[in-house]
Amino acid sequence: MTTFNWQFDAAHSEIGFIVKHMMFAKVRGSFGEWTGEFQFDELEPANNLATATIDVSTITTGNDQRDEHLRSADFFDVATYPELRFVSSAWEASEHGYRVTGDLTIRDITRPVTLQVTHNGSATDPWGNTRMSLSVVGQLNRKEFGLTWNQALEAGGVLVGDEVKLELDVQAIRAEQVVTSAA
């Protein structure tokens, strides 16, 4: 079996999230700049490893005023904590692909998260590169990462939900072969 290094292709990928607004509406957002890589062995998922670093200043929700508030000390405090980081610690096969556990760091607070990863396939692009597509979903509680700002609503409830849904659609380009074994 063979393990390969892959580089995430941010230009053909999206790291997105969804948060409840005013208890009933959804706000979607994404990050525009990030880097990452992973080692992938489809037959032996325990050998897999993934890392990603996200430039928090590139957050966008389609509303400039909201984006500036998210960059402020009330939320991500980009001036002090410019990056989010993820490092996987375990991969295991699951019904729909892989369950990936890892450490997510936001505002210098590191917590474990579990993501569901689906391998959508691989192909060779017109320039001879081998590409892979992955879909990733997960959920986290923003308060566990120090993102506690909120505002009470007159009718009850709060302005910003605590649960954040993660939705990633990523492409990666195979960089090099790492290990080859006869097994």
Side-chain angles (χ1 to χ4, degrees):
M1 73 196 77
T2 303
T3 302
F4 291 97
N5 272 342
W6 297 79
Q7 297 290 319
F8 289 119
D9 180 1
H12 295 100
S13 303
E14 181 177 49
I15 294 181
F17 60 89
I18 302 168
V19 178
K20 287 283 187 172
H21 181 254
M22 296 186 65
M23 307 297 293
F24 59 84
K26 294 178 184 177
V27 169
R28 295 177 186 273
S30 63
F31 295 94
E33 293 183 25
W34 56 281
T35 60
E37 63 185 5
F38 63 103
Q39 290 181 357
F40 187 73
D41 182 334
E42 193 169 7
L43 300 176
E44 294 291 336
N47 295 335
N48 297 347
L49 176 66
T51 63
T53 302
I54 300 167
D55 178 348
V56 184
S57 71
T58 66
I59 193 169
T60 182
T61 63
N63 179 291
D64 292 340
Q65 184 178 0
R66 179 174 45 227
D67 296 346
E68 285 305 314
H69 191 203
L70 289 170
R71 291 181 191 108
S72 78
D74 283 346
F75 286 95
F76 288 105
D77 193 2
V78 170
T80 307
Y81 310 105
E83 297 178 338
L84 306 179
R85 291 182 311 279
F86 176 78
V87 177
S88 68
S89 55
W91 287 61
E92 60 183 335
S94 69
E95 182 179 348
H96 300 290
Y98 305 94
R99 187 174 8 276
V100 178
T101 303
D103 291 327
L104 178 63
T105 302
I106 302 174
R107 294 179 58 116
D108 274 354
I109 298 170
T110 302
R111 299 276 186 262
V113 295
T114 300
L115 306 170
Q116 181 62 46
V117 177
T118 303
H119 177 209
N120 299 319
S122 300
T124 302
D125 68 20
W127 302 275
N129 300 303
T130 302
R131 291 182 172 266
M132 176 190 300
S133 170
L134 302 170
S135 296
V136 182
V137 294
Q139 187 167 307
L140 60 88
N141 184 312
R142 67 185 181 90
K143 288 184 174 181
E144 292 178 359
F145 293 92
L147 302 170
T148 59
W149 183 91
N150 223 330
Q151 187 171 348
L153 299 174
E154 187 176 308
V158 291
L159 186 63
V160 182
D162 293 339
E163 297 302 315
V164 179
K165 293 182 181 180
L166 306 173
E167 293 184 351
L168 293 75
D169 288 303
V170 298
Q171 276 191 43
I173 300 171
R174 188 168 73 195
E176 65 185 61
Q177 183 175 320
V178 178
V179 177
T180 302
S181 67

